[in-house]
Amino acid sequence: RQVEHRGQPLRPAEHRQGERVVVGGQAGGDLPLRQTRQQCRHLRVPAGQTLIGGFSQGAMLACDTVLTSDRPVAGLAILSGMLIRRDVWRAGAAARRGLPVFQSHGTNDPILPFAVAELLATTLASGGLEVDRVTFPGGHGIPPAVLDRLGAFVGRCLGASA
């Protein structure tokens, strides 16, 4: 099943902002966090009503953004990501004890082996985060069953029925 926005295919690295499409983005420093804060102010999103997530490199950037800041967030979604800053993320997880995390990963992922996802889940859970893991017998992607579970997770985190 292909994910679409207004009838157009949505690639994993795309983010829709009204009618404008932002593809990718720069990593490094506090740029992702500043962009998130600016967008939340622009959309008038209350603190703590933001769920940050991503796929592949976007998942790693989402982890870094959430685990290196003190901005209140409702949850973290990691779709096919891996641990890249063990000590920093371990400390960040401890500081956000109880934060809901959704993590999906294919058991046959040829790009990011399943073992790296297990290490990430273990690190986050040992820091006190509530990790909801979804594995699937596939590769580096987001199958429909994962989208269904992610939708339910978002609903729980933001207090909406999914």
Side-chain angles (χ1 to χ4, degrees), residues 85-102:
R85 295 177 50 174
R86 181 184 300 208
D87 293 339
V88 171
W89 289 7
R90 184 179 291 142
R96 289 192 178 268
R97 185 169 292 279
L99 179 74
V101 175
F102 178 89

Side-chain angles (χ1 to χ4, degrees), residues 80-157:
S80 297
M82 65 178 275
L83 181 65
I84 57 173
R85 295 177 50 174
R86 181 184 300 208
D87 293 339
V88 171
W89 289 7
R90 184 179 291 142
R96 289 192 178 268
R97 185 169 292 279
L99 179 74
V101 175
F102 178 89
Q103 181 194 27
S104 71
H105 207 99
T107 56
N108 298 312
D109 189 332
I111 297 170
L112 298 174
F114 187 70
V116 300
E118 291 181 308
L119 179 60
L120 175 57
T122 301
T123 300
L124 297 179
S126 69
L129 302 186
E130 301 294 326
V131 181
D132 178 8
R133 294 186 68 199
V134 178
T135 61
F136 56 93
H140 197 67
I142 309 171
V146 169
L147 291 176
D148 292 341
R149 294 273 301 270
L150 178 59
F153 175 79
V154 170
R156 285 191 307 276
C157 288

Side-chain angles (χ1 to χ4, degrees), residues 38-56:
Q38 289 171 350
Q39 192 65 15
C40 288
R41 276 194 303 274
H42 174 73
L43 296 173
R44 296 187 178 108
V45 177
Q49 288 294 299
T50 305
L51 188 141
I52 298 179
F55 171 75
S56 194

Side-chain angles (χ1 to χ4, degrees), residues 4-8 10 14-22 39 42-43:
E4 296 183 352
H5 174 74
R6 298 184 186 214
Q8 297 298 314
L10 184 65
E14 290 184 348
H15 173 68
R16 300 280 171 166
Q17 298 174 332
E19 291 302 312
R20 194 176 84 197
V21 180
V22 178
Q39 192 65 15
H42 174 73
L43 296 173

